[in-house]
Amino acid sequence: MNMSAKNTSVENIANQIPVDKFYTYDELTQSLQCAAAAYPDLVTVSSIAESPMKRQVWCVEVAERRNGRPLHRRPALLMTGNLHAIELAGSCGALHLLRSLLEGYVTRDPQIVRLLQEQVVYIVPRLTVDATEYVLQSLHEVRSRRFDEREPNALYPHDVNQDGRVLFMRRPSRDGGYIKSSRDERIMLPCRGDEAGDAPRYDVTFEGLIHEWDGGAFSRREERLDFNRNFPAGWQPNFTSYIHGRYPLSEPETRGLAEFVLVHPNITRVVDYHTGNTAVFPPSGAVQSKALHAADAALIAKLGRRAEALTGFPFISGYTELSTGQIAAPLPGSFKDWIYEHTGATALILELGDFHNYLGISTKDYMCYPTVAEREEQMMLALLEWHDRHPEAGLFFEWEPFDHPQLGPVEIGGLNWVDWRNPPLHEMESVCANCTRFVLEVAELKPDVTVGESEVTPLGGSLYKVAVSVRNDGELPTHITQRGRETHPTEELQVSLNAVCAESAGAESASAESANQASLEFIVGRASTWIGHLEPGASRRIEWVVRTPQSPQASTRADGTGSDAGSGLRVSVEGARGVYVEASIEL
């Protein structure tokens, strides 16, 4: 990608940030840095963590800086992707969002221009910066991190036939747990006990070698870690596996993301991209029948239903809801649960789907087959039918015989996990576009605090009675959710009144502000007043009686039309959750 400031038409932006490919770390880094170089007043790229292999976890900050209030005083939205290494569509979706913001800014789309002037969008396109590189190189499935720990008599992944891939091995075995499908012998179906009948049984494992094998039975254990089980929300140790991590936020990547969120309390909306059967998942604490707060459940359900309408993904508590009708049990250490429970922000997962979802197998279809074997067979039949029509795409690798150095004759082949566990690349543009539309709608959902008409009553000499009304015209309360009121108990709105002299108008320094406050004597009221939170449509009236050092003298504008507003008062309303507004008051 070679994006320059002179070459940023909509067509060029689209060409230079394609989403119909899976990006390596270097390609992703280059795309983000080129966007920042082309739009230095709009895009900033920084690292929020460094991986064990010294790769950076990039965060893209998108906001117009030339105008408007400081970024930490604006409401912020966070979009994250690729918490799981195999789920590369998350990075594609992140780049599509970035591209859409740039295109909208270039074409002066009113919604996006207003968004970037009034808010901040943070994009973390990939958390699994190490494991994703391994996945792209090997096509071997990894959740978030793999540990290359080898124990005697344990199979470990290895490209034994040296074709550049780590696929699957199958071999006849009297005690094997798989049989060939009667409908297509390329499909291996799990079986239990007498389910196999007279069919030959097979052992199916990932491609690899057995470490220090003594010739007997061997295990298939492969240690993996799941970043989406490593957050401190219902975290539980797993004493038989590293999958949850040694402790909450044990990994530098998850810890860096959590720290970034916590130092940005203005992040009030979060959308996390995954793949898997298409779905929209709410936080466990905001599922309506078991919600911590009914109002929060209603709000997040409203967002979830809108996501469902825009994407076609079902809004459900978990996959088991489709097959059992029961609310899914919370998963330990989930990022979305941590976001809601510990910050009070709204949070949703968008599951963009696996390849088979775009071949006519819906999430409900997939989950409602009576047995795992039927589910796997129907999915594989659809995938293989597509593969036979498009063999050049490499969705499936035909089983090829190979003389394994330890196991003897085996066959190596199977699905391309990278392609299968993501939407088809030829569908990626439309998939990401639907998700981006939803994210932009989420961005519109926020408090909108304004300062109404002020009333100034001279009381004689340099005494004035000042009254203002502060109102929330937005769709969200200033505490965002009821849970947000609990997680940020001290972050109520603060209303401040300052004197503004002509020579100091616009001064931003702390010393200038202190000097202006000191120039007012508060007879009734205080320089800064806490007014609690404002629900949508609610307002507060604040009154002061102040004495100025001397009555401001009206000046005349250059056009002779009357008094200049350079001298007077300034009222500001601020809340740490992205609320800030100022208004001038003439005396």
Side-chain angles (χ1 to χ4, degrees):
M1 177 174 160
N2 184 22
M3 184 185 294
S4 68
K6 297 181 180 179
N7 191 29
T8 54
S9 69
V10 170
E11 181 179 0
N12 286 324
I13 294 171
N15 291 337
Q16 292 158 351
I17 312 181
V19 297
D20 59 349
K21 59 173 287 186
F22 296 134
Y23 284 71
T24 66
Y25 171 79
D26 288 342
E27 290 170 337
L28 180 63
T29 299
Q30 183 184 19
S31 294
L32 300 180
Q33 292 178 343
C34 287
Y39 293 91
D41 293 329
L42 194 68
V43 179
T44 299
V45 179
S46 59
S47 174
I48 62 172
E50 184 175 79
S51 74
M53 299 183 72
K54 306 302 180 184
R55 295 186 178 96
Q56 304 306 310
V57 176
W58 300 119
C59 178
V60 187
E61 179 185 82
V62 191
E64 185 180 284
R65 294 164 179 77
R66 292 174 298 179
N67 302 302
R69 59 185 181 267
L71 300 190
H72 72 278
R73 287 175 164 173
R74 303 186 193 184
L77 179 145
L78 170 65
M79 180 261 151
T80 55
N82 240 157
L83 268 71
H84 296 140
I86 199 75
E87 299 175 7
L88 288 134
S91 294
C92 297
L95 290 173
H96 189 279
L97 175 60
L98 173 61
R99 192 182 80 189
S100 298
L101 294 173
L102 297 181
E103 289 173 345
Y105 190 78
V106 166
T107 60
R108 308 309 290 171
D109 178 281
Q111 178 192 14
I112 290 180
V113 170
R114 184 177 65 253
L115 167 64
L116 297 182
Q117 287 176 342
E118 298 177 355
Q119 301 192 55
V120 187
V121 177
Y122 294 113
I123 304 171
V124 179
R126 179 172 297 167
L127 205 66
T128 53
V129 288
D130 287 346
T132 299
E133 292 302 289
Y134 171 78
V135 164
L136 287 169
Q137 293 166 8
S138 68
L139 305 185
H140 183 55
E141 190 269 342
V142 175
R143 197 70 166 159
S144 299
R145 172 166 292 132
R146 63 183 293 266
F147 301 96
D148 196 14
E149 296 181 356
R150 302 180 184 180
E151 300 176 356
N153 295 309
L155 183 73
Y156 65 92
H158 185 75
D159 178 15
V160 296
N161 62 354
Q162 299 298 300
D163 64 355
R165 301 181 288 264
V166 178
L167 300 175
F168 292 89
M169 302 188 300
R170 70 180 186 183
R171 65 188 182 102
S173 172
R174 184 177 58 186
D175 300 321
Y178 290 82
I179 59 173
K180 291 181 179 179
S181 166
S182 61
R183 301 174 68 179
D184 191 319
E185 290 196 346
R186 293 173 292 181
I187 301 173
M188 305 305 298
L189 301 178
C191 65
R192 297 192 305 269
D194 59 1
E195 288 178 347
D198 296 330
R201 300 178 68 154
Y202 286 80
D203 190 27
V204 179
T205 67
F206 53 80
E207 182 181 354
L209 295 173
I210 307 168
H211 184 61
E212 297 181 3
W213 189 34
D214 62 12
F218 59 90
S219 68
R220 297 159 179 79
R221 180 179 177 183
E222 182 182 6
E223 289 297 353
R224 303 178 183 183
L225 189 142
D226 187 341
F227 286 173
N228 209 28
R229 302 291 180 271
N230 193 231
F231 287 86
W235 184 88
Q236 299 172 3
N238 188 324
F239 297 112
T240 64
S241 171
Y242 294 144
I243 193 166
H244 297 173
R246 291 177 296 147
Y247 50 87
L249 302 180
S250 60
E251 307 310 299
E253 298 94 332
T254 56
R255 189 162 60 252
L257 179 58
E259 289 176 349
F260 179 81
V261 169
L262 292 176
V263 300
H264 291 84
N266 56 328
I267 293 176
T268 54
R269 294 137 301 163
V270 178
V271 182
D272 184 24
Y273 283 22
H274 288 256
T275 70
N277 286 283
T278 54
V280 181
F281 292 139
S284 299
V287 175
Q288 287 185 309
S289 64
K290 299 181 178 180
L292 297 174
H293 298 282
D296 295 352
L299 168 63
I300 291 176
K302 175 183 176 181
L303 289 174
R305 294 301 179 195
R306 186 57 184 154
E308 184 177 69
L310 289 172
T311 65
F313 307 160
F315 176 60
I316 49 178
S317 64
Y319 291 124
T320 57
E321 183 179 337
L322 291 178
S323 56
T324 68
Q326 301 298 314
I327 298 300
L331 295 172
S334 165
F335 176 58
K336 65 176 171 57
D337 289 356
W338 177 77
I339 282 289
Y340 170 68
E341 293 173 18
H342 288 246
T343 77
T346 64
L348 283 172
I349 279 181
L350 296 186
E351 297 271 356
L352 278 60
D354 292 336
F355 202 108
H356 61 264
N357 295 130
Y358 297 87
L359 300 178
I361 299 179
S362 70
T363 301
K364 185 174 182 179
D365 292 338
Y366 183 83
M367 295 306 303
C368 290
Y369 286 115
T371 66
V372 173
E374 289 180 83
R375 177 189 302 172
E376 294 295 306
E377 186 172 44
Q378 294 300 322
M379 177 194 73
M380 286 298 301
L381 286 169
L383 293 172
L384 286 173
E385 180 183 353
W386 189 91
H387 163 72
D388 290 340
R389 288 185 280 114
H390 306 279
E392 73 286 351
L395 177 61
F396 184 84
F397 298 97
E398 302 294 340
W399 295 101
E400 298 288 346
F402 182 75
D403 190 14
H404 191 279
Q406 295 169 306
L407 299 174
V410 300
E411 290 179 289
I412 296 177
L415 276 176
N416 177 336
W417 274 68
V418 171
D419 285 354
W420 168 49
R421 289 302 311 276
N422 289 278
L425 286 173
H426 63 270
E427 298 272 9
M428 196 68 75
E429 178 72 36
S430 62
V431 173
C432 293
N434 291 336
C435 294
T436 291
R437 278 192 284 272
F438 171 67
V439 171
L440 293 178
E441 285 199 13
V442 173
E444 295 290 318
L445 194 68
K446 60 181 179 62
D448 184 13
V449 175
T450 58
V451 176
E453 291 294 326
S454 58
E455 299 175 14
V456 178
T457 305
L459 299 179
S462 58
L463 278 178
Y464 295 87
K465 179 181 178 181
V466 181
V468 298
S469 177
V470 178
R471 180 179 176 86
N472 179 12
D473 293 319
E475 294 186 60
L476 291 185
T478 55
H479 51 76
I480 311 303
T481 62
Q482 295 301 317
R483 183 61 176 172
R485 185 192 289 271
E486 296 169 347
T487 59
H488 293 74
T490 63
E491 305 297 353
E492 297 179 346
L493 298 186
Q494 185 179 43
V495 180
S496 300
L497 186 68
N498 304 302
V500 180
C501 300
E503 60 270 18
S504 64
E508 291 292 336
S509 69
S511 59
E513 182 131 334
S514 298
N516 287 335
Q517 285 187 352
S519 66
L520 284 178
E521 180 183 355
F522 287 84
I523 309 303
V524 175
R526 297 181 179 180
S528 294
T529 303
W530 298 96
I531 64 168
H533 284 289
L534 292 176
E535 298 291 330
S539 62
R540 296 281 192 280
R541 179 181 171 89
I542 305 96
E543 296 182 352
W544 299 268
V545 174
V546 297
R547 176 180 287 116
T548 62
Q550 59 182 12
S551 298
Q553 298 299 312
S555 60
T556 302
R557 296 192 184 100
D559 61 6
T561 57
S563 62
D564 186 7
S567 297
L569 303 176
R570 179 177 62 202
V571 62
S572 61
V573 185
E574 183 171 7
R577 310 231 66 187
V579 173
Y580 188 84
V581 62
E582 289 184 343
S584 297
I585 301 174
E586 293 186 50
L587 293 178

